Amino acid sequence: MAEIQNLTPRDAFETLLAGNKRFVAGSPEHPNQDAARRAQTAPGQNPFAVMFGCSDSRLAAEIVFDRGLGDLFVVRTAGHVVGAEVLGSIEYAVQVLGSPLVVVLGHDACGAVAATRAAVQDGTTAGGYVRDVIERVTPSVLASHAAGHTEDADFITEHIKHTVDLLLDRSRLLAKAVESGRVAVVGLSYRLADGTAHVVTVRGVGIPARLF
């Protein structure tokens, strides 16, 4: 059983990167996925990272980072759009559970970003609550257009950066945790074809440039 406790933001980030490298190489260790770990985590949890990612079915955090029970506190919405429930969930993991790392996990070929680009271009949008998702992604798409971007990868990158900024702007609790050095927030972009996760942005101390 792989025991993960009391990690610094840097340690947590290195642990995630190591797991992703194992996944990409086709040699996952599947840590913390046995009966002993199940029994150990039944009374409580101590996740070393919060994973706020897109709900895309191809983006399962515990698999692509080769982790197990109790390791990751996972929050997912289409297009990793932010609402009160998302902010409350992340704050809970940081304040109550003591997670030292928050990750915004985006990916290429994101349907929410593609739908928003189409809505901005055509002036039309979807019905129901899908419209709400598109409206929340729109600021990222408009910022990409303003910067002269045309490639899908640039729009994805902009949306990940915007989400990281939004978390810190809207959650004073999270911003203070980053300012104190207790927590880092990292934006990652996942590539569906090869399984690699690439750093887009880092907010917080303790993660040296050589790691990304």
Side-chain angles (χ1 to χ4, degrees), residues 2-170:
E3 184 63 25
I4 301 292
Q5 286 186 342
N6 302 319
L7 298 182
T8 65
R10 172 177 174 171
D11 291 337
F13 187 50
E14 289 180 325
T15 299
L16 278 182
L17 290 183
N20 181 244
K21 288 179 180 177
R22 293 194 301 270
F23 171 70
V24 172
S27 56
E29 297 176 356
H30 304 293
N32 294 333
Q33 297 183 19
D34 56 11
R37 180 64 167 180
R38 184 178 68 227
Q40 181 189 40
T41 57
Q45 57 177 320
N46 184 34
F48 72 86
V50 183
M51 302 297 299
F52 173 40
C54 182
S55 297
D56 193 292
S57 61
R58 300 163 292 181
L59 196 65
E62 288 90 349
I63 294 176
V64 303
F65 291 103
D66 192 28
R67 298 311 313 174
L69 298 173
D71 290 337
L72 306 178
F73 190 88
V74 181
V75 182
R76 301 176 70 179
T77 63
H80 51 82
V81 297
V82 178
E85 298 85 353
V86 168
L87 292 168
S89 297
I90 294 173
E91 288 186 348
Y92 173 79
V94 169
Q95 183 176 41
V96 179
L97 303 180
S99 300
L101 180 68
V102 176
V103 175
V104 173
L105 184 62
H107 66 96
D108 57 356
C110 179
V113 174
T116 304
R117 290 184 67 183
V120 169
Q121 179 178 340
D122 302 335
T124 60
T125 188
Y129 285 100
V130 176
R131 179 175 181 175
D132 183 68
V133 173
I134 290 175
E135 289 176 349
R136 296 190 193 201
V137 179
T138 296
S140 301
V141 170
L142 293 177
S144 288
H145 278 302
H149 295 153
T150 58
E151 299 297 324
D152 290 342
D154 294 324
F155 281 83
I156 297 298
T157 295
E158 185 64 41
H159 185 44
I160 294 170
K161 290 179 178 178
H162 175 77
T163 303
V164 169
D165 290 342
L166 191 60
L167 291 180
L168 292 169
D169 288 344
R170 294 186 60 184

